Amino acid sequence: MLRIQTFVTNLLQENCYVVSDDSGEAVIVDCGAYFEDDYAALQAYIVREHLHPVRHLLTHGHFDHCFGAQWVEDTYGLKPEVSQADAETYYLQPRQIEQFLHRTFPLSLPPLGQTFMEGDVFRFGNGHTLNVLSVPGHTPGGVCFYEESEGVLFSGDSLFRASIGRADLPGSDPQALITTLKTKILTLPPQTRVFPGHGSETSIAFERLYNPYLSATP
């Protein structure tokens, strides 16, 4: 069985996930840890559960989802991995911080590890897989990670509970975001649990009914 632990990190309340199973292998999704308390909480959980992180996967390259990338590399030897189409977004994080927060923050960006694309599959643990679904719109290369056997989707900032990601940012495309969510994400099984980049968990069934930006059918 998949175990999912959520950590709400940094000043933007970003959701970082540690995903594991009884093998002890773990995948870190979107480590936005910035404060010492963020690092301590993550490390304490990983130690307590006897986990061995094997990948650090990013749903997209915005700074609030990557603040902890250097810490993950320093602590676990894992380079961040992002879609090919979002590699440039990743390296533009210092500019993003100035644009969004109107100030600078100390930020150490490790070089990216491998990049990936639609259809790639990450295997870990006892037969678990994270399938890459390309969902451009919030950023050019935003993705979701889908674990089909357990009915779990990590949606980053593409889909939130009763909302969708911002599409008024540099490199965003509102029509692409809405179209892809309708045709690729809302068509997943209704019981699929959705773990977004901010806010609370939702489901495909709930979003079909109550998301004002999307309709029940493509």
Side-chain angles (χ1 to χ4, degrees), residues 49-177:
E49 299 299 321
H50 306 288
L51 300 181
H52 171 55
V54 294
R55 302 198 97 103
H56 178 201
L57 302 179
L58 304 177
T59 59
H60 64 295
H62 279 161
F63 67 95
D64 54 321
H65 291 252
C66 309
F67 265 141
Q70 187 66 64
W71 178 81
V72 171
E73 183 180 42
D74 293 344
T75 308
Y76 301 109
L78 302 175
K79 293 187 181 300
E81 302 176 52
V82 74
S83 73
Q84 291 181 5
D86 243 28
E88 181 178 359
T89 304
Y90 174 84
Y91 287 114
L92 288 175
Q93 287 179 64
R95 186 183 302 176
Q96 296 167 20
I97 291 172
E98 293 181 3
Q99 289 174 332
F100 302 158
L101 302 181
H102 307 293
R103 58 175 297 183
T104 59
F105 282 89
L107 179 65
S108 178
L109 278 182
L112 287 169
Q114 73 176 58
T115 57
F116 50 77
M117 62 180 63
E118 166 88 15
D120 283 350
V121 179
F122 298 105
R123 293 176 171 82
F124 70 100
N126 291 326
H128 285 106
T129 59
L130 291 174
N131 297 272
V132 177
L133 304 180
S134 177
V135 186
H138 178 64
T139 62
V143 304
C144 297
F145 300 116
Y146 179 45
E147 214 301 329
E148 182 176 7
S149 67
E150 303 251 359
V152 167
L153 182 79
F154 298 95
S155 63
D157 284 2
S158 295
L159 179 64
F160 301 124
R161 184 176 175 85
S163 189
I164 62 174
R166 287 183 62 177
D168 59 344
L169 306 171
S172 64
D173 183 334
Q175 190 55 57
L177 179 60

Side-chain angles (χ1 to χ4, degrees), residues 1-2 31 34 40 48 96 114 131 148-149 166 203 209:
M1 175 179 286
L2 208 61
C31 187
Y34 183 78
R48 184 174 69 249
Q96 296 167 20
Q114 73 176 58
N131 297 272
E148 182 176 7
S149 67
R166 287 183 62 177
S203 70
L209 288 173

Side-chain angles (χ1 to χ4, degrees), residues 202-218:
T202 185
S203 70
I204 294 299
F206 182 91
E207 298 310 312
R208 288 180 183 176
L209 288 173
Y210 300 114
N211 195 310
Y213 298 93
L214 306 170
S215 61
T217 55

